[in-house]
Amino acid sequence: AQTVTQSQPEMSVQEAETVTLSCTYDTSESDYYLFWYKQPPSRQMILVIRQEAYKQQNATENRFSVNFQKAAKSFSLKISDSQLGDAAMYFCAYRSANYGGSQGNLIFGKGTKLSVKP
Amino acid sequence: DAMVIQNPRYQVTQFGKPVTLSCSQTLNHNVMYWYQQKSSQAPKLLFHYYDKDFNNEADTPDNFQSRRPNTSFCFLDIRSPGLGDAAMYLCATSREVGGYTFGSGTRLTVV
């Protein structure tokens, strides 16, 4: 079974600085998706960034970028120029590309709570 | 805009009184999910529908049921809510592959 591990329960960053959130995962599959979701206090889960495992190029969305290391099974999120609105719980998640029964379900890490200091 | 809508946003129910939470989507996604999320925890999958096929997670209590009358709507029924069922309930949709789209959630309080 696949697992997702976020080893940092809480992180803090100064406004305008850069922060990196860590995520590792375990799988025997070669084709899958990785995601970072943001959940602010309002509690809606919002997709931040997505990476397809077959793509070697790291995904980037404005101030958010990932460092995807497939061999190391690592998928970290870098937030540049941090803003107060970035404060939230961040979840790393894995999804198999092979749908069948529960295989296509999203598997979450335990989350990292990010605080942004003004 | 295409989206996932959950109603109500907040629900208060009495201990043991059946309650139904609803979810609708305009994305025409064939897979719909219900998650339970307790404070400071990751969401926990309760069950999902692939089209009309219902898939229950092994550890989902019998107290939780679901209905999907059509592609757009999915309901979560809690037959006899206990204090331990107080949580945020998240509905999500997806296609067979790719990412999920989440609703805003329903926060359930049991009194």
Side-chain angles (χ1 to χ4, degrees):
Chain A
Q2 296 85 11
T3 58
V4 177
T5 302
Q6 292 179 251
S7 58
Q8 305 152 316
E10 295 188 24
M11 292 281 285
S12 180
V13 64
Q14 203 73 32
E15 193 176 8
E17 298 291 306
T18 296
V19 65
T20 298
L21 308 184
S22 301
C23 174
T24 59
Y25 58 95
D26 189 25
T27 184
S28 59
E29 298 179 324
S30 59
D31 197 12
Y32 48 87
Y33 302 90
L34 294 165
F35 308 90
W36 279 98
Y37 280 90
K38 170 186 178 181
Q39 191 177 40
S42 67
R43 302 303 289 271
Q44 178 155 20
M45 197 79 76
I46 301 165
L47 179 64
V48 175
I49 200 164
R50 155 185 172 162
Q51 176 82 41
E52 286 87 350
Y54 67 86
K55 291 185 177 179
Q56 293 188 346
Q57 187 173 7
N58 289 324
T60 299
E61 288 287 342
N62 299 315
R63 297 182 294 107
F64 298 87
S65 61
V66 298
N67 183 4
F68 173 48
Q69 301 289 328
K70 191 173 184 179
K73 297 179 182 174
S74 171
F75 183 61
S76 61
L77 174 69
K78 185 171 82 171
I79 306 173
S80 303
D81 186 25
S82 296
Q83 300 176 359
L84 295 177
D86 295 333
M89 184 73 85
Y90 286 81
F91 291 99
C92 179
Y94 170 103
R95 188 183 190 191
S96 172
N98 302 309
Y99 186 86
S102 298
Q103 285 185 352
N105 294 339
L106 203 59
I107 300 168
F108 287 97
K110 291 189 175 182
T112 296
K113 184 178 181 180
L114 179 67
S115 302
V116 181
K117 298 178 181 178
Chain B
D1 288 342
M3 56 177 56
V4 179
I5 300 168
Q6 290 189 244
N7 285 306
R9 189 73 185 269
Y10 300 93
Q11 176 74 57
V12 180
T13 191
Q14 290 181 334
F15 182 95
K17 185 175 181 181
V19 64
T20 295
L21 311 182
S22 72
C23 176
S24 64
Q25 56 134 338
T26 59
L27 297 160
N28 204 32
H29 285 169
N30 56 338
V31 194
M32 295 187 77
Y33 309 81
W34 279 105
Y35 284 85
Q36 179 192 65
Q37 187 180 26
K38 297 191 175 180
S39 183
S40 301
Q41 296 183 19
K44 176 182 180 298
L45 182 64
L46 296 173
F47 24 60
H48 76 277
Y49 276 93
Y50 179 78
D51 291 325
K52 293 184 178 181
D53 293 334
F54 177 70
N55 297 271
N56 198 33
E57 292 301 296
D59 57 353
T60 298
D62 293 339
N63 196 27
F64 292 86
Q65 303 288 322
S66 185
R67 296 170 283 134
R68 189 179 185 186
N70 54 51
T71 302
S72 300
F73 285 88
C74 195
F75 300 97
L76 170 61
D77 301 309
I78 308 177
R79 292 191 296 186
S80 181
L83 297 178
D85 297 328
M88 176 71 81
Y89 290 88
L90 298 171
C91 175
T93 71
S94 77
R95 298 194 186 281
E96 290 90 336
V97 293
Y100 286 21
T101 302
F102 284 85
S104 300
T106 295
R107 182 179 294 280
L108 179 69
T109 300
V110 182
V111 297

